Amino acid sequence: MRKYLLLSLFVLSSIIFIGCGGSSTRLESNKPISNEVSCIEGDNKGGQIYKVLAWGIGDNNESAEIDAKKAAVYSALTGRQGSGNCSIAALFSPEELDKNNDFIESFFAYENQWAQYVTDVNNGKILPGNRIELSDGRVKIGMEIIVSVKKLEEDLLAKGILKNRLKWGE
């Protein structure tokens, strides 16, 4: 009887292990994989738009480009970007980021929510040196992207996600 119990336990464990993929992968998130963004230039109108070099990672060019665009918008939300000629002030404080994590996950789940705030300067063309094959088979692509930070902030204020702040230009 004990042998059957152990055998049953082993079989059940094997089925669960195989069903889960048998490996430890990171939990799926709708946020960008890459957070590598450098500010290239800001506008002279109080930070309404910024041009950034955003890097994205994906299984192919298309998914890496989507990740780069997400990274550009995410940098406007978080203020996280590397060195560059300018910097984007975060729309969310660190406390607000934690508090609004569920909103941010759902915001990046659907392209029609976040994509309206970005414009691909390269029009889908990858510049020489901005496509890298990673050792794990994925692709890393750098794209120049314009982020409409003012529009993003205004929409988040209108939805009540951000609290009232000084209006642009004040």
Side-chain angles (χ1 to χ4, degrees), residues 33-50:
I33 297 168
S34 174
N35 288 317
E36 193 175 339
V37 177
S38 297
C39 190
I40 298 171
E41 65 183 86
D43 66 8
N44 294 326
K45 299 177 185 173
Q48 294 182 19
I49 61 171
Y50 287 89

Side-chain angles (χ1 to χ4, degrees), residues 63-128:
S63 62
E65 288 177 21
I66 289 170
D67 191 60
K69 291 174 184 177
K70 283 183 172 184
V73 174
Y74 193 69
S75 73
L77 295 174
T78 64
R80 295 179 190 155
Q81 67 265 338
S83 62
N85 300 330
C86 54
S87 64
I88 303 172
L91 294 178
F92 284 125
S93 69
E95 296 80 25
E96 290 172 319
L97 273 175
D98 289 340
K99 187 175 116 186
N100 290 295
N101 189 54
D102 290 341
F103 164 77
I104 293 169
E105 281 290 339
S106 66
F107 177 74
F108 284 109
Y110 302 100
E111 193 168 343
N112 66 339
Q113 292 186 72
W114 59 265
Q116 62 186 312
Y117 305 107
V118 297
T119 304
D120 174 6
V121 175
N122 305 102
N123 296 320
K125 296 177 184 163
I126 301 167
L127 299 175

Side-chain angles (χ1 to χ4, degrees), residues 18 60 84 98 152:
I18 291 169
N60 53 44
D98 289 340
L152 176 60

